[in-house]
Amino acid sequence: MKAFLILLILALLASACGFRKYVWFISLGYGAAVALIGAGLLVLFRNTLSVGTVLQCVLLIVYGCRLSGYLAYRDLKTAYTRRMKGEVKSDKGVSFAAKTGIWISAALLYVLQTSPVLFRLADRKGTDAFCAAGLLLSLAGLILETTADLQKNRAKKKNPGRFVDTGLFRMVRCPNYFGEMVFWTGVFLSGVNVCHTAAEWICSVAGYAGIIYVMFGGARRLEIRQDKNYGDDPDYQKYKSTTPIMIPFLPIYSVKKHKWLVA
């Protein structure tokens, strides 16, 4: 599909910043790619847009801009980079070929994640119950993720040396990752009734499964880091053993031992 290839090119352009610092392929470049894909969809299908599909594209743009803006602020204006030094692999020793592989695979994942919106627009389905439900779910996820990031920032400013267990963090240890999963669940749901071919289903499922895997991989890295920083704190041990790591009310308290979660 021509539109799919155009979106892939946009995702590649937006995430090319990773060649400067390779972790940006999956951080700043991730947000920028999703935002540019949303804008690209608005242009490509400008003559067949409905209220629902316009809002879907706008949500992608808002999501991407918020994520990239937050990550840029965190890296440049806070002590995050200093705290993570030694825990995040540097560019040293990462070959150009390896960077190129990460770049292409990441950009492809971003297009697959947004493919349900593309398929709806290409099929000219407009706004229906699936579109509306997906929009509401994605909006809820965006609000959850944004709120969690703000709450964490406030808590860390107040007490930088303590783990965060206030606000949404009372319910789940990774509410920002949970919010992101809710957002993409909404995108996936919106495309359930517009996927007609095996290729469309493969794209939609692969994109959704891919981002869920990445989120659980991120939760595992966070758990390992927090165990290292707070493992001797009885309050942390109690918090960890009583608060689900990823999904509220689902009694999964640790993913540390799952080494296959290497995202």
Side-chain angles (χ1 to χ4, degrees):
M1 183 184 291
K2 181 180 177 181
F4 188 95
L5 293 176
I6 292 173
L7 296 183
L8 179 58
I9 291 171
L10 292 178
L12 288 167
L13 290 172
S15 59
C17 58
F19 284 103
R20 179 178 176 86
K21 189 175 181 181
Y22 98 100
V23 295
W24 287 353
F25 285 130
I26 54 174
S27 57
L28 295 178
Y30 172 34
V34 172
L36 192 55
I37 287 171
L41 287 169
L42 286 175
V43 174
L44 288 171
F45 296 96
R46 58 189 176 277
N47 296 323
T48 58
L49 292 165
S50 68
V51 173
T53 52
V54 167
L55 290 176
Q56 281 188 304
C57 294
V58 169
L59 264 184
L60 292 177
I61 295 171
V62 173
Y63 168 90
C65 290
R66 187 212 74 86
L67 179 60
S68 287
Y70 170 75
L71 293 174
Y73 171 81
R74 187 184 68 177
D75 287 353
L76 298 175
K77 299 295 184 180
T78 72
Y80 178 81
T81 301
R82 294 193 299 274
R83 293 199 307 269
M84 294 297 292
K85 190 174 182 180
E87 296 185 35
V88 176
K89 187 178 179 182
S90 69
D91 284 52
K92 187 176 181 180
V94 182
S95 67
F96 179 79
K99 287 184 177 181
T100 301
I102 296 170
W103 176 46
I104 294 173
S105 58
L108 179 59
L109 174 61
Y110 306 151
V111 179
L112 293 176
Q113 287 175 233
T114 56
S115 63
V117 182
L118 166 62
F119 298 147
R120 172 169 294 279
L121 286 164
D123 204 35
R124 301 192 179 192
K125 278 291 186 180
T127 307
D128 56 23
F130 283 94
C131 179
L135 274 171
L136 290 174
L137 200 56
S138 291
L139 179 60
L142 182 60
I143 292 171
L144 280 170
E145 187 174 6
T146 303
T147 302
D149 286 339
L150 292 173
Q151 289 178 342
K152 185 172 184 178
N153 279 345
R154 284 197 296 266
K156 282 296 183 181
K157 285 181 180 179
K158 185 177 180 180
N159 193 345
R162 191 180 191 281
F163 62 93
V164 181
D165 61 347
T166 55
L168 292 173
F169 291 83
R170 293 179 183 273
M171 298 175 58
V172 63
R173 303 208 310 275
C174 299
N176 46 348
Y177 293 163
F178 174 65
E180 178 140 348
M181 289 196 301
V182 171
F183 181 91
W184 291 109
T185 298
V187 173
F188 178 75
L189 175 63
S190 72
V192 166
N193 67 325
V194 297
C195 291
H196 304 300
T197 67
E200 289 177 343
W201 275 109
I202 289 171
C203 287
S204 296
V205 172
Y208 181 60
I211 191 59
I212 297 300
Y213 174 84
V214 169
M215 289 299 100
F216 272 92
R220 179 177 180 269
R221 290 196 306 273
L222 178 63
E223 182 182 357
I224 292 171
R225 186 165 69 248
Q226 289 187 333
D227 282 356
K228 179 181 177 181
N229 294 335
Y230 313 117
D232 295 331
D233 185 342
D235 289 339
Y236 169 72
Q237 291 297 339
K238 181 179 179 181
Y239 172 65
K240 179 181 175 178
S241 63
T242 57
T243 307
I245 187 169
M246 200 64 161
I247 302 174
F249 312 115
L250 185 65
I252 298 177
Y253 301 103
S254 175
V255 292
K256 184 178 179 179
K257 294 182 179 179
H258 300 303
K259 296 182 179 180
W260 53 274
L261 292 171
V262 294

